[in-house]
Amino acid sequence: MSVEVKSEFKTSNDLEVLGMQRNVPVNLRQSGDNGSRMLISQRVRKSPFWHLSQEAGCWCYTVYNNMYHPRAYVPLEEGGLLKEYEYLTEHVTLWNVAVERQIQVKGPDAAKLVDLAITRPVEKVKVGKARYVILCNEEGGIINDPVLLRPAEDEFWFSLSDSDVALWLQALNVSSKFDCTVHEIDVAPVQIQGPKSTAFMYDLFGEQIHDVPYYGLLESEVNGCPVIVSRTGFSAEAGYEIYLYDASINAERLWNHLLDAGEAHNLKVIAPGHIRRIEAGILSYGQDLDLETNPYQVGLAWQVDLNKSEFVGKEALARIKSEGVTSKLAGLKFGGKQIDWYPADFYLVYAENESKPVGYITSAFYSPTQGCNIGYAMLPTSLGTVGTQLEVHLPEPYAGGRVTAEVAETPFKPPEFPGTGLAETGRKL
């Protein structure tokens, strides 16, 4: 751990070439990680699986949705996150993702509220199915990109990324006077990801697991605990999520049963696989997108259906689409030593041999399948064409200076299932 050299460029608004001028700029000071310790206290929630993650060896956490979120289990001297990547891509893994807090919308007008909040038609979310959706504010900024489950005709669950959507939905509900309720519920998910996940899930659920389609749901039980299973995940490997009812009571009963049943499949407990999700072109809220980015900047234009009669942000998104955007996310391959830990800063991107930065890296890691560092960068649209030569400034120990970079096609590695966006557009960014 070290403090990096400070940059003269302090925020994303210093990069005039991007033309963004955010209300709250991205902090681009290259300040590094000085090894500070995170305080564990009552102000941040411990999930029902918190103590079980500790028993499994978790040694590093971040805060996500106001909960402690496991980010590393395998010690660095035993291979660290690259070893966890190996478990994920070769075997089957168990993730504590209780931070995907479940916001339930339930009642006669539940579908009306959900349809107002999301940019896709609610009719596309059939009972017993799930969909990846986005919610935007009135300016077209992305509030959240959750998975939306519909376990019943009058009931939806928003399985959140990292922002508090409950307050937003409650405000929409009050202002629109819908006949439904909005509450966080005592349901916590785990993810089962990896090429051996279906074989493992067969041991838990039997033949019926083969009938669950991509983004399909299954209501069942594990070791006497009621659950909903979805065929979804954050890795692009074969995978599932198990949503545990009454999680505060049933956490040990589910988790320990999964560990016992997983021994036959070499199941490992790991953190969410960010190396694999970057390879697959999956975005991470708070890094790659946030309230001040819109769908047309981050490869999510396919999520916006301007033919819908009404949804929050429709007018602004129609205008943005018509005017075009000045900056977009792009995939990048670049040099330097292997990035084997979460970047502490948004690394600066330069045009070749130029002195002022033109963009910044939002996600980055070393990719074993690509044999180089990969990531996403927010760039001027004029520099986002595949094959464009750029430079990235990496701190020590990865370079301590600039390395060559090239804009690359995404996904870097195809997912197990292409999904609607990739199938329709042929690309992720």
Side-chain angles (χ1 to χ4, degrees), residues 81-97:
L81 298 177
L82 285 169
K83 191 65 177 179
E84 295 191 12
Y85 174 92
E86 179 182 314
Y87 292 145
L88 170 61
T89 56
E90 297 182 9
H91 300 287
V92 59
T93 59
L94 168 62
W95 307 0
N96 167 6
V97 290

Side-chain angles (χ1 to χ4, degrees), residues 345-367:
D345 292 303
F346 295 92
Y347 302 144
L348 297 175
V349 180
Y350 297 77
E352 282 188 300
N353 302 314
E354 295 293 332
S355 60
K356 293 184 178 179
V358 295
Y360 54 90
I361 298 281
T362 60
S363 289
F365 258 111
Y366 175 76
S367 165

Side-chain angles (χ1 to χ4, degrees), residues 9-29:
F9 297 94
K10 297 179 179 179
T11 78
S12 57
N13 287 0
D14 292 335
L15 280 59
E16 296 179 357
V17 67
L18 288 180
M20 299 172 66
Q21 297 302 304
R22 296 163 54 104
N23 293 313
V24 181
V26 174
N27 186 340
L28 293 184
R29 295 173 179 83

Side-chain angles (χ1 to χ4, degrees), residues 86-88 90-94 192-205 257-269:
E86 179 182 314
Y87 292 145
L88 170 61
E90 297 182 9
H91 300 287
V92 59
T93 59
L94 168 62
I192 306 296
Q193 302 287 308
K196 299 177 181 176
S197 60
T198 298
F200 171 65
M201 295 291 279
Y202 180 86
D203 287 354
L204 297 176
F205 299 100
H257 184 76
L258 296 178
L259 293 182
D260 290 342
E263 287 183 1
H265 301 275
N266 196 29
L267 178 141
K268 303 290 186 184
V269 180

Side-chain angles (χ1 to χ4, degrees), residues 147-198:
V147 171
L148 176 65
L149 289 72
R150 191 173 191 175
E153 179 67 28
D154 64 345
E155 182 177 3
F156 297 83
W157 296 356
F158 286 84
S159 187
L160 299 184
S161 60
D162 192 6
S163 67
D164 196 341
V165 170
L167 295 176
W168 175 256
L169 293 173
Q170 288 169 350
L172 288 180
N173 193 30
V174 170
S175 62
S176 300
K177 303 185 186 305
F178 289 128
D179 183 9
C180 60
T181 58
V182 180
H183 297 293
E184 182 172 352
I185 53 178
D186 187 16
V187 171
V190 296
Q191 293 201 11
I192 306 296
Q193 302 287 308
K196 299 177 181 176
S197 60
T198 298

Side-chain angles (χ1 to χ4, degrees), residues 259-323:
L259 293 182
D260 290 342
E263 287 183 1
H265 301 275
N266 196 29
L267 178 141
K268 303 290 186 184
V269 180
I270 67 168
H274 279 260
I275 301 174
R276 186 65 186 93
R277 73 94 183 161
I278 295 172
E279 290 181 331
I282 298 174
L283 306 178
S284 179
Y285 194 87
Q287 289 177 234
D288 309 313
L289 68 166
D290 63 14
L291 196 60
E292 295 205 41
T293 55
N294 63 68
Y296 298 102
Q297 291 180 292
V298 296
L300 295 177
W302 62 273
Q303 282 271 348
V304 181
D305 186 349
L306 295 175
N307 293 318
K308 278 183 65 174
S309 60
E310 184 183 14
F311 63 89
V312 179
K314 179 181 177 180
E315 183 176 342
L317 291 170
R319 174 181 51 77
I320 292 168
K321 181 182 180 182
S322 175
E323 295 176 352

